[in-house]
Amino acid sequence: MMRNDDTPITLDLFADQAPITPGQVEQIGQQSFVLRGFALPWLDRLLPALENVLQAAPFRQMVTPGGFTMSVALTSCGVLGWTTDRSGYRYTADDPQTGHPWPDMPHVFRELAQAAAREARFEHFEPDACLINRYVPGARMSLHQDKNERSLTAPVVSLSLGLPAVFQFGGFERSDKSQRIPLFHGDIAVWGGVDRLRYHGVLPLKPGEHPRLGAQRINLTFRMAG
Ligand code: MD6
Ligand code: FE
């Protein structure tokens, strides 16, 4: 499946739905939105900044408190970064791998995250943490709630880059039925307020080759963690 950046696209799974157009806003919950292609005009500035962050704090695979190695590789930038190990999930000011502070959040990251939050009607979004996830084909994120942040109503702003993925957006119990939402290169999902604690996850990434990012999906999530 291929697309160039401004033609409508469909995922096989969604072949019976209307094609998706950049600029489209989809409401997926009371206070949850997918902003189609919102980041595309920012990427010439954002991708080089991402490269710099990844040089200072490379992706690494982390272990959950239950002892499983995550299929998704992670890193962070900003005042706080998210980590997990045998002793639990938490935010830290230092990268445990280097003992140094996480790289600064590039200005372009923060500006984009704030613009997206505003578009989804969340004002005063001041992200202090950006968690960066890397999916290779087969990698997945099982259903979870994001609840390690101090404010649990401030939104999470989530940018998708590279290969498309199927996002699961559920309810407040793990067993609630979830919607399946395709996320493409340049899409931003924003949710907060009453929806902030909804379960969500990502189905195993399908193989493919993205023209700009290759055989991977990178997801950036911005939060007010501290
Ligand atoms: C992902 N995202 O899209 C995984 N969490 O790769 C998340 O777990 C997530 O996208 C909270 C808010 C937005 C997200
Ligand atoms: Fe999450």
Side-chain angles (χ1 to χ4, degrees):
M1 189 197 39
M2 294 283 288
R3 75 158 169 159
N4 85 29
D5 278 345
D6 38 48
T7 35
I9 26 73
T10 52
L11 255 191
D12 304 351
L13 182 60
F14 301 95
D16 57 335
Q17 293 184 0
I20 291 164
T21 313
Q24 194 171 314
V25 176
E26 291 170 27
Q27 186 160 13
I28 58 171
Q30 231 190 111
Q31 292 187 272
S32 309
F33 302 87
V34 176
L35 313 176
R36 295 294 178 189
F38 190 88
L40 293 175
W42 299 69
L43 295 186
D44 287 344
R45 288 174 62 207
L46 186 135
L47 293 176
L50 175 61
E51 288 289 329
N52 290 338
V53 167
L54 295 177
Q55 274 185 17
F59 285 118
R60 74 292 304 269
Q61 279 180 286
M62 294 183 186
V63 176
T64 64
F68 295 99
T69 299
M70 295 179 69
S71 59
V72 172
L74 297 161
T75 188
S76 288
C77 65
V79 175
L80 292 172
W82 187 88
T83 53
T84 174
D85 59 21
R86 287 309 300 248
S87 61
Y89 304 119
R90 61 194 173 279
Y91 282 96
T92 61
D94 293 334
D95 176 348
Q97 200 158 283
T98 61
H100 299 302
W102 295 103
D104 288 338
M105 190 184 300
H107 290 295
V108 58
F109 281 29
R110 179 189 158 83
E111 285 168 31
L112 172 58
Q114 287 184 324
R118 221 173 295 124
E119 189 75 11
R121 302 181 214 136
F122 292 101
E123 302 294 332
H124 315 296
F125 182 58
E126 301 286 349
D128 54 8
C130 172
L131 169 57
I132 307 171
N133 295 314
R134 176 179 196 256
Y135 295 72
V136 293
R140 60 191 286 272
M141 180 87 72
S142 53
L143 284 175
H144 66 279
Q145 293 171 296
D146 288 16
K147 54 181 184 189
N148 299 119
E149 298 76 26
R150 198 159 66 103
S151 162
L152 292 180
T153 53
V156 179
V157 171
S158 170
L159 164 63
S160 293
L161 296 170
L163 291 176
V166 178
F167 188 62
Q168 296 175 284
F169 192 50
F172 297 99
E173 308 281 346
R174 190 185 299 277
S175 57
D176 290 347
K177 195 173 153 45
S178 53
Q179 308 174 54
R180 290 182 169 196
I181 299 154
L183 293 178
F184 298 95
H185 181 66
D187 289 349
I188 296 190
V190 182
W191 77 83
V194 297
D195 290 325
R196 183 58 171 73
L197 288 176
R198 287 174 67 163
Y199 275 88
H200 56 278
V202 177
L203 296 182
L205 194 76
K206 291 225 179 100
E209 186 71 21
H210 185 271
R212 204 145 172 198
L213 275 98
Q216 60 178 339
R217 170 177 185 262
I218 294 180
N219 167 259
L220 277 62
T221 56
F222 298 90
R223 303 114 189 275
M224 290 172 69

